[in-house]
Amino acid sequence: MWEWAGESMNRPERKLPRLRSYDYALPGAYFVTICVADRMPRFGEIVGARVDLNAAGRMVQEQWRRLSDRFPHVKIDAHVVMPNHVHAILEINTSEIAGRESLSDIVGAFKSRTSRAYADGVRDAGWPPFERRLWQQSFYDHIVRDDHDLNRIRDYIANNPARWHEDREYNAWQSALQQRQ
């Protein structure tokens, strides 16, 4: 419920994407999915069962791989840049660091760096422009609980390009495309 000038308004409450009681700066493995704001396939296409990244997609992949340069306590695990989203596992190795960067801080830095680099590509290389922001405001996360969970997610990431036409982000993009026509 929203309140405005002492009156309540019937508006749906926004779902919080993170667990309220969990400290996302704790050491552990996290599975994240980060989606393009307009769900348009900006990073390449699926050819057969593999991703054929364009220049923007290669930039996103390189920025993901370089997260450990900015955050030395972060280990990059399995990941895939899809045409309109990124699936990845990262591991925070210690909570004994200055500032204790959380998962949100790390993903935020990735979004910021890729947004700046993508905007440069729009200006310098003619990449398709984006409105307001490159990425959706939030991201999906899953706290990896054990080795079985980790291996299941690694398999999901590895097989994601082959299942592109079944993927919810592919279907969301197709729906958005049809609505624009």
Side-chain angles (χ1 to χ4, degrees), residues 72-87:
H73 60 287
V74 170
K75 176 185 171 198
I76 302 305
D77 200 299
H79 59 280
V80 64
V81 176
M82 296 292 288
N84 65 355
H85 63 285
V86 174
H87 289 302

Side-chain angles (χ1 to χ4, degrees), residues 6-145:
E7 298 177 24
S8 62
M9 298 166 43
N10 291 324
R11 292 192 187 186
E13 289 187 30
R14 183 173 180 208
K15 180 186 174 292
L16 296 174
R18 311 287 153 259
L19 291 175
R20 289 180 195 252
S21 61
Y22 191 81
D23 180 358
Y24 282 89
L26 287 173
Y30 301 90
F31 169 55
V32 296
T33 299
I34 309 165
C35 298
V36 170
D38 57 8
R39 293 194 165 131
M40 294 302 292
R42 298 183 178 279
F43 305 138
E45 61 185 353
I46 302 298
V47 177
R50 69 175 195 78
V51 184
D52 184 17
L53 295 175
N54 59 21
R58 289 188 298 276
M59 174 277 297
V60 167
Q61 184 173 55
E62 181 62 22
Q63 288 295 330
W64 185 260
R65 289 178 177 163
R66 292 177 55 203
L67 273 176
S68 295
D69 296 344
R70 167 81 166 77
F71 301 99
H73 60 287
V74 170
K75 176 185 171 198
I76 302 305
D77 200 299
H79 59 280
V80 64
V81 176
M82 296 292 288
N84 65 355
H85 63 285
V86 174
H87 289 302
I89 300 169
L90 61 84
E91 182 180 336
I92 297 176
N93 290 318
T94 180
S95 60
E96 302 300 320
I97 56 168
R100 285 180 29 104
E101 291 101 342
S102 70
L103 181 63
S104 291
D105 296 328
I106 296 163
V107 171
F110 168 76
K111 287 180 175 183
S112 178
R113 286 180 174 203
T114 54
S115 293
R116 269 186 261 131
Y118 191 97
D120 290 345
V122 170
R123 185 189 65 234
D124 300 337
W127 296 354
F130 58 91
E131 292 184 37
R132 297 187 343 198
R133 63 173 71 98
L134 178 61
W135 300 102
Q136 286 182 357
Q137 185 173 352
S138 191
F139 62 95
Y140 169 82
D141 75 83
H142 170 80
I143 302 161
V144 178
R145 290 163 175 82

